[in-house]
Amino acid sequence: MKRFGFISLTVFLLFILAACSDDSNVDKEAESSDSGNSQQGGNMTIAIPSDIVSLDPHGSNDDPSEQIRDTIYEPLVTHDEDLNLVPALAEEYEQVDETTWRFKLRKELSFMTAVILMPT
């Protein structure tokens, strides 16, 4: 029981000391290390735990494929916290008839292409 009390007291004191430390120079250090080093463009490599099945949203339902699709694609509409449909890429949308919807896209959209290399 004494050992548990000693460990608990040590952990408690470490938390107190960490809370009292001075981190006022953290932002200054981050700014000085990032200044002048930012680049636009280039390649980005993402590691995932397994191979994707398909980039077609209707072609698979596995998690790795969904993670990549969520990175690449943005939907016309999405859901809010209450699961109501809200615009995403679309500014407005309306149902024209039973099988037809009309979407008005945001004006500031730009389209990019991506190359994904998959092992064969």
Side-chain angles (χ1 to χ4, degrees):
M1 191 65 174
K2 287 184 178 182
R3 178 179 250 176
F4 177 75
F6 177 73
I7 292 173
S8 298
L9 180 62
T10 304
V11 170
F12 177 74
L13 289 175
L14 286 174
F15 280 122
I16 295 296
L17 289 174
C20 295
S21 65
D22 179 25
D23 58 354
S24 60
N25 62 348
V26 171
D27 290 336
K28 294 175 189 170
E29 289 174 3
E31 287 176 9
S32 65
S33 67
D34 288 342
S35 62
N37 293 335
S38 64
Q39 292 180 340
Q40 290 187 352
N43 296 326
M44 179 173 76
T45 302
I46 299 174
I48 55 175
S50 63
D51 292 338
I52 63 174
V53 175
S54 173
L55 292 177
D56 180 6
H58 305 291
S60 64
N61 62 355
D62 61 302
D63 286 337
S65 296
E66 183 176 349
Q67 290 171 349
I68 298 299
R69 284 193 307 263
D70 287 347
T71 303
I72 296 173
Y73 303 125
E74 186 173 353
L76 292 171
V77 293
T78 188
H79 293 95
D80 64 7
E81 306 85 35
D82 300 322
L83 298 179
N84 298 316
L85 284 177
V86 293
L89 286 178
E91 282 183 341
E92 301 172 4
Y93 56 94
E94 65 174 325
Q95 186 171 9
V96 177
D97 59 39
E98 191 173 305
T99 60
T100 308
W101 286 80
R102 180 175 294 136
F103 294 91
K104 180 181 177 189
L105 300 180
R106 298 188 321 236
K107 294 200 183 310
E108 69 272 8
L109 291 179
S110 63
F111 293 92
M112 297 172 32
T113 59
V115 175
I116 297 179
L117 302 175
M118 296 175 43
T120 55

